[in-house]
Amino acid sequence: MSRRVADLLLLSVAFSSSCARKPAESAVAAAYADPKTCVGCHDAIAKSYAETGMARAFGKATPTSLSLENWSKNNTLDHKISGRFFRLEQRGGRYFLRRWQAGESNVIEREIHYVMGSGNHARSYIHRTPEGRLSELPVGWYPGIGFAMSPGYDRPDHQDVRRKISFDCMFCHNGYPDLPAGAGKPTSEPIWPGKLPEGIDCQRCHGPGRAHAESGGQQAIVNPKKLPRDRSLEVCMQCHLETTSFPLPNSLIRFGRGAFSYRPGEPLGGFMIHFDHAQGREGKFEIVSSVYRLRQSACFTKSGTLQCTTCHDPHRVQRGGAFDAACQTCHVSGPHNDRPNCASCHMPKRRTEDVVHGVMTDHKIQRRPPPGNLLAPIAERHEAPGQGYRGEVALYYPSDLAGRDRDLYLGIAQVIQKSNANGAAQLESAIIKHSPREPQPYFALATVADDPEPWYRKALERDPDFVPAMRNLGEVLNRRGQFGTALPLLERARTLAPRDPPVLHELGLAYRGAGRLAEASNVLIESVKADPEFPEAINSLGLILAERGDLTGAEQRLREAIRIQPDYAEAHLNLARVLLSRDQSAAAQMELEAAIRWKPALTAAHEALGGLAAAEGRWPESLARYREALRLDPTSDRAALGAGSALAALGDFTNARSVLERVARSQDPEVRNEAKQVLEALQTGRYRN
Ligand code: HEC
Ligand code: HEC
Ligand code: HEC
Ligand code: HEC
Ligand code: HEC
Ligand code: HEC
Ligand code: HEC
């Protein structure tokens, strides 16, 4: 078996692109006042509001903000299924998360810079990289439990330290950040360079208040109480409406709207559109569910007046009794109108499906609580797009969306997270009917079309600067080996988004395919500089260094990719190949076994193990490895060649011959020739192993 480094497979990872958002960010600074300016004239409200969870939903990590936790007790987690240890530490007034694997290998340390969540129910720790990316750390904190894995992390291949804080996370959990002009475009990933607000401030519910404050209160400011019911509810719904946090999608921002451009008082449906499961998940209960569940209550649908503020005063922390009085405003003469704590029976606390350590109030007001133990512990459920819910995506809010908007947004929602297998036809007919001017519908259809190219091209006809379409089309062309076509497209994408790591990565792959290895490694180095925690780019760089003969550099990069993502199977495989060409077969064997542990279906790793066993004369093992590879990929000629050779070596000439005769017709000349040689040896009786 030849082990030339040139055989190294380039295993790039498809980069998922969620539906892109358009900027049009009017400068926050122009219309909004510094949140502190409200305090001077509204000090009583400001003081009581500061105590609420909302006011403390996001902030810097300080000894005061992090005083709920005990930083020296039960602060080490042995997360067996991912093979990783985590420790939270406080050192000199600063906070850190350390992650390592057995034998102190693959150590990573991250400072905790921010905390998201007051800790009333949970909190997440946030690290800010020097480039301004925010990432959620794998360990969070829960009252009554202490440190535990963050939601979504209880799995072998979790996102570790790489889960980025998206625009929607920040939208729901903080005041509006003042992003530089142009940031928040679909062409840029969420980067937070400047000062961040610390907590949800008055203006998220009252709208921009600068003119009001500077005029001493003369200029009007939004008071939700004076808005019609729907507009007033929507002030809360902007953050409290989430139909689901599992892939569906829950919502889409309208084309042309910036991520932070909603203003209280405008119709929420003019900014974003919400979707729901069409069937099968009627009883779901998730962490952000107050709006969704309340809207199912008879109290809500039949009163016509019930709102969040009927029961809640958002300016202050409320306790139990406050709610009975609210019920009694409508239920004046009830069957048991004097029974205290109405909510304990009619709005029970329940464990949520998506945050399994979380217990929240069920806002669906019912006669009797749902059956069963509502607080029983449950296991975490993981649903990748297209693997959880499979069915129609229904319109949820605004329910009266009609015509073109309904067809297009609903069409996109069917496909953008691969929920509806029949969604592509629905979206395509919406596109044909309305010929939209925006690139997003074409882009969404491309992500699920059998032939994505024409749809990406149509997206680019509508908006020639739509970088996500350039990047994805470049990836399609690279995969098809059309590097010459991919190159100009990706070069143009780079001029528009010069520091976009996935664009640079894809461009690097195109250069490599075109045989321009020096340029490939330069642009991959840029990609890694732009995001030093982008394992795919580091892996690709390692491969190219290997191809250029720099095995030491290659090994170093591949080990770095694995340090960042210990479950990165392709990087283990590639490292094994580099180690093999450095004659370190024992170390290579370990890497190959790691590759298979993380990705049992990685055919190439089974083949490489078969080759390694063959090279060392372990023929029964070699045969077994190749057979496993063939089971996974019956079309692999390399695996068949290996199996045939192993059979021959084991003396089973009849079966060896029948396998090898098939391989001798392979498309791959190298495989074909090798098969012919073994067959000839068998024929002439010269076969020796
Ligand atoms: C210089 C003093 C001053 C500052 C600063 C100020 N306000 Fe006011 N605000 C007032 C006055 C005066 C009123 C009218 C009070 C009244 O009529 O009861 C008012 C009324 C309001 C109202 C009720 C409006 C209505 O129509 O019912 C809201 C809401 C409000 N302010 C929010 C804010 C917010 C948010 C900020 C910070 C961005 C802020 N205010 C800053 C003085 C101020
Ligand atoms: C900018 C997003 C946002 C808006 C707007 C918003 N909320 Fe919240 N709300 C949150 C978040 C996030 C939390 C959880 C905060 C935490 O504890 O970390 C929360 C928590 C709460 C709580 C729990 C108690 C507390 O003080 O934390 C209540 C009650 C609440 N919100 C009611 C409302 C009502 C009523 C409205 C509308 C008038 C509203 N919220 C508007 C995001 C928002
Ligand atoms: C649609 C808006 C929305 C999005 C998106 C969202 N959250 Fe939340 N989150 C909320 C609201 C609202 C609450 C409070 C839920 C409640 O009390 O009913 C909450 C609760 C939380 C809490 C617990 C706070 C407490 O009550 O102690 C944490 C931690 C949290 N979210 C983190 C995140 C992170 C991290 C992300 C991004 C990955 C995220 N959330 C995305 C709206 C959102
Ligand atoms: C989570 C949303 C939310 C936040 C944050 C918020 N408010 Fe309000 N505010 C409201 C709502 C809702 C009303 C109307 C209350 C009602 O219906 O009685 C209101 C009413 C007011 C009023 C009018 C007084 C009244 O009783 O009608 C003032 C003044 C005010 N808010 C100031 C502030 C200031 C100052 C802050 C920041 C310290 C702030 N609000 C933060 C939602 C909010
Ligand atoms: C704004 C008015 C209003 C408020 C406030 C309100 N309800 Fe209701 N509630 C109604 C109406 C209207 C109905 C429907 C009555 C009917 O079907 O005839 C209802 C129905 C109910 C039902 C029967 C539900 C069913 O499905 O049959 C219960 C139980 C209930 N309410 C309890 C409460 C409790 C507990 C509170 C406070 C936490 C509360 N309500 C607050 C208006 C209200
Ligand atoms: C009929 C009364 C009622 C209405 C209306 C209502 N809530 Fe609540 N809410 C409650 C009760 C009761 C609790 C539990 C409070 C406690 O245990 O301290 C609660 C708790 C919450 C919490 C804290 C987290 C949790 O789940 O325990 C949030 C957030 C919240 N409500 C948001 C909202 C929002 C947003 C709306 C409007 C869509 C709303 N609520 C409407 C009664 C109400
Ligand atoms: C100890 C539990 C408990 C408490 C506390 C409680 N309820 Fe109920 N309530 C029930 C049960 C159980 C029913 C259903 C009776 C049935 O279905 O026959 C009910 C029924 C109702 C109904 C529907 C009645 C009808 O005939 O349509 C309303 C409205 C209601 N409760 C309101 C309230 C209010 C308001 C409070 C607080 C002042 C309250 N409940 C406190 C257990 C409770």
Side-chain angles (χ1 to χ4, degrees):
M1 221 50 23
S2 58
R3 293 188 213 137
R4 282 177 306 117
V5 180
D7 282 350
L8 298 181
L9 280 187
L10 196 78
L11 296 147
S12 78
V13 170
F15 217 82
S16 72
S17 258
S18 59
C19 191
R21 291 166 181 185
K22 269 276 188 179
E25 205 72 296
S26 71
V28 164
Y32 285 83
D34 183 318
K36 288 191 208 82
T37 43
C38 317
V39 179
C41 302
H42 300 286
D43 60 322
I45 290 179
K47 211 162 162 201
S48 69
Y49 178 67
E51 303 290 310
T52 66
M54 284 188 276
R56 296 177 290 118
F58 189 89
K60 284 202 183 109
T62 64
T64 318
S65 67
L66 295 179
S67 60
L68 295 171
E69 296 88 338
N70 185 335
W71 291 87
S72 50
K73 218 179 128 203
N74 296 330
N75 55 336
T76 302
L77 268 65
D78 172 1
H79 193 238
K80 294 207 167 53
I81 59 170
S82 69
R84 278 162 249 191
F85 297 88
F86 301 95
R87 190 163 58 238
L88 291 117
E89 291 172 350
Q90 180 186 28
R91 298 200 300 263
R94 290 161 70 188
Y95 299 84
F96 301 88
L97 172 103
R98 185 182 161 81
R99 181 270 267 154
W100 72 99
Q101 293 195 288
E104 281 291 305
S105 65
N106 294 329
V107 180
I108 279 187
E109 191 170 89
R110 289 282 177 274
E111 180 159 3
I112 296 168
H113 294 116
Y114 295 98
V115 55
M116 187 176 274
S118 63
N120 286 349
H121 302 90
R123 60 192 352 185
S124 296
Y125 302 116
I126 314 280
H127 170 74
R128 170 139 90 175
T129 69
E131 300 77 32
R133 283 188 189 81
L134 297 178
S135 52
E136 181 182 358
L137 296 178
V139 178
W141 183 89
Y142 305 87
I145 295 174
F147 297 116
M149 298 308 282
S150 297
Y153 277 89
D154 203 14
R155 54 189 294 165
D157 55 346
H158 57 67
Q159 286 172 286
D160 211 311
V161 296
R162 308 185 311 281
R163 184 194 273 176
K164 303 278 158 66
I165 294 295
S166 57
F167 288 136
D168 18 349
C169 247
M170 194 62 84
F171 178 85
C172 293
H173 278 274
N174 208 356
Y176 277 166
D178 193 8
L179 297 177
K185 283 191 203 173
T187 47
S188 55
E189 54 164 335
I191 292 197
W192 319 90
K195 197 167 158 266
L196 286 166
E198 293 193 43
I200 294 167
D201 62 62
C202 320
Q203 295 166 94
R204 288 303 309 272
C205 293
H206 291 295
R210 191 163 174 169
H212 168 81
E214 284 174 356
S215 67
Q218 296 306 301
Q219 287 261 10
I221 186 167
V222 173
N223 181 349
K225 187 160 60 177
K226 299 179 178 167
L227 296 171
R229 185 214 198 187
D230 284 352
R231 293 298 85 78
S232 169
L233 252 173
E234 286 167 356
V235 171
C236 314
M237 286 167 70
Q238 60 170 315
C239 305
H240 283 276
L241 172 55
E242 190 175 65
T243 62
T244 183
S245 68
F246 291 103
L248 186 64
N250 160 62
S251 64
L252 291 174
I253 301 234
R254 278 188 181 255
F255 313 140
R257 292 298 299 255
F260 300 100
S261 68
Y262 169 74
R263 299 291 177 262
E266 74 161 307
L268 186 63
F271 167 71
M272 72 198 298
I273 294 157
H274 285 84
F275 306 96
D276 195 8
H277 301 103
Q279 72 276 315
R281 298 215 176 170
E282 288 75 13
K284 65 181 173 238
F285 184 70
E286 299 187 18
I287 183 152
V288 181
S289 60
S290 48
V291 173
Y292 183 72
R293 297 289 290 175
L294 185 71
R295 287 170 55 88
Q296 296 177 28
S297 310
C299 308
F300 181 86
T301 55
K302 297 204 177 154
S303 72
T305 55
L306 188 65
Q307 312 197 30
C308 309
T309 46
T310 312
C311 298
H312 292 289
D313 175 354
H315 296 146
R316 58 189 181 89
V317 176
Q318 287 164 295
R319 315 230 182 260
F323 300 98
D324 287 2
C327 309
Q328 284 152 352
T329 57
C330 296
H331 297 289
V332 187
S333 55
H336 46 256
N337 222 32
D338 47 355
R339 243 187 237 173
N341 206 351
C342 322
S344 65
C345 294
H346 294 293
M347 299 179 72
K349 307 258 183 250
R350 297 176 61 181
R351 188 166 299 283
T352 70
E353 286 170 40
D354 53 342
V355 178
V356 298
H357 300 305
V359 168
M360 309 300 283
T361 304
D362 189 350
H363 279 70
K364 179 169 176 182
I365 305 171
Q366 302 180 74
R367 283 171 175 269
R368 289 170 187 279
N373 177 359
L374 300 178
L375 298 175
I378 54 167
E380 199 166 89
R381 191 167 92 218
H382 302 282
E383 294 183 354
Q387 286 170 10
Y389 177 76
R390 298 292 281 155
E392 200 191 326
V393 178
L395 184 63
Y396 180 75
Y397 194 87
S399 57
D400 60 356
L401 192 71
R404 177 200 117 102
D405 284 359
R406 184 188 174 94
D407 294 347
L408 289 174
Y409 288 106
L410 200 49
I412 293 175
Q414 306 304 314
V415 304
I416 201 72
Q417 295 188 359
K418 303 192 166 45
S419 288
N420 183 350
N422 305 318
Q426 183 178 335
L427 177 56
E428 189 173 345
S429 64
I431 286 176
I432 290 169
K433 187 165 164 202
H434 302 290
S435 314
R437 286 168 280 109
E438 302 87 353
Q440 288 90 341
Y442 306 91
F443 178 85
L445 184 53
T447 62
V448 290
D450 292 333
D451 180 7
E453 183 172 351
W455 298 108
Y456 284 132
R457 294 223 178 267
K458 286 199 173 91
L460 289 170
E461 277 165 29
R462 299 305 185 278
D463 179 357
D465 292 350
F466 197 61
V467 172
M470 286 180 222
R471 182 192 63 215
N472 284 18
L473 179 53
E475 189 201 319
V476 168
L477 295 168
N478 278 344
R479 233 186 300 135
R480 292 180 181 163
Q482 294 171 259
F483 306 110
T485 321
L487 267 176
L489 191 74
L490 291 165
E491 272 163 354
R492 188 171 141 64
R494 172 163 62 166
T495 60
L496 293 164
R499 293 182 51 78
D500 184 310
V503 164
L504 296 170
H505 179 225
E506 216 49 59
L507 180 59
L509 300 186
Y511 277 130
R512 173 185 182 268
R516 294 158 67 175
L517 293 188
E519 285 152 296
S521 57
N522 285 343
V523 81
L524 286 169
I525 287 169
E526 272 178 56
S527 173
V528 174
K529 228 185 254 162
D531 183 359
E533 287 165 23
F534 184 13
E536 288 83 1
I538 303 172
N539 172 55
S540 298
L541 183 55
L543 286 177
I544 287 171
L545 292 177
E547 287 171 349
R548 302 185 74 197
D550 176 5
L551 294 181
T552 313
E555 180 175 342
Q556 187 210 328
R557 299 296 181 153
L558 292 166
R559 288 198 187 281
E560 174 65 1
I562 291 166
R563 186 177 74 93
I564 294 169
Q565 185 180 346
D567 53 290
Y568 192 174
E570 286 81 358
H572 284 288
L573 170 62
N574 292 328
L575 176 59
R577 287 171 162 161
V578 168
L579 292 169
L580 282 174
S581 45
R582 309 186 94 190
D583 284 324
Q584 298 180 21
S585 50
Q589 174 101 18
M590 274 172 55
E591 295 303 326
L592 290 170
E593 274 157 11
I596 289 175
R597 184 160 65 248
W598 295 117
K599 203 174 204 178
L602 192 61
T603 316
H606 293 279
E607 288 175 14
L609 280 165
L612 201 52
E616 293 171 359
R618 289 178 275 121
W619 294 109
E621 184 195 334
S622 175
L623 181 60
R625 301 281 195 189
Y626 281 121
R627 280 195 166 143
E628 178 60 11
L630 275 173
R631 191 184 63 78
L632 293 164
D633 178 9
T635 68
S636 169
D637 289 340
R638 255 169 216 283
L641 171 64
S645 308
L647 284 166
L650 289 164
D652 184 350
F653 296 153
T654 323
N655 280 318
R657 216 172 273 126
S658 84
V659 173
L660 291 167
E661 271 160 10
R662 187 167 60 74
V663 183
R665 294 190 294 273
S666 166
Q667 303 283 322
D668 179 340
E670 200 183 313
V671 171
R672 204 162 57 218
N673 288 339
E674 225 169 296
K676 282 186 183 148
Q677 281 171 26
V678 185
L679 274 173
E680 244 168 62
L682 286 173
Q683 213 73 43
T684 54
R686 282 187 286 105
Y687 187 83
R688 302 234 183 329
N689 62 38

